[in-house]
Amino acid sequence: MPKTGKQRLRFDLAPPVHGEQQAEVERLLSLGATRIDIGQGEVSWVVLADPDGNEFCVLTPR
């Protein structure tokens, strides 16, 4: 079904403390994720969608 409205569930991924956010984003993009803009503006996380269109965020290392 096409997406209608804001998703009610979303998960956040965070690389390990010594990991790199951009490297994780590139890895996920190579696996089929796509960058999306949900109107988040300038933030420290990157919003992606899986191949089915489900949104998730890649946070800075934790």
Side-chain angles (χ1 to χ4, degrees):
M1 300 285 303
K3 179 180 169 187
T4 57
K6 189 173 184 172
Q7 288 190 326
R8 296 178 65 177
L9 292 175
R10 187 192 78 223
F11 65 93
D12 296 333
L13 299 173
V17 174
H18 299 293
E20 293 183 24
Q21 179 187 39
Q22 190 57 39
E24 186 61 19
V25 168
E26 294 301 323
R27 185 183 77 80
L28 292 165
L29 291 171
S30 76
L31 293 171
T34 55
R35 286 184 186 265
I36 60 172
D37 182 357
I38 58 170
Q40 69 271 18
E42 294 294 319
V43 294
S44 62
W45 58 85
V46 178
V47 182
L48 301 174
D50 69 15
D52 291 328
N54 299 303
E55 301 165 6
F56 62 97
C57 295
V58 180
L59 308 175
T60 55
R62 311 265 166 185

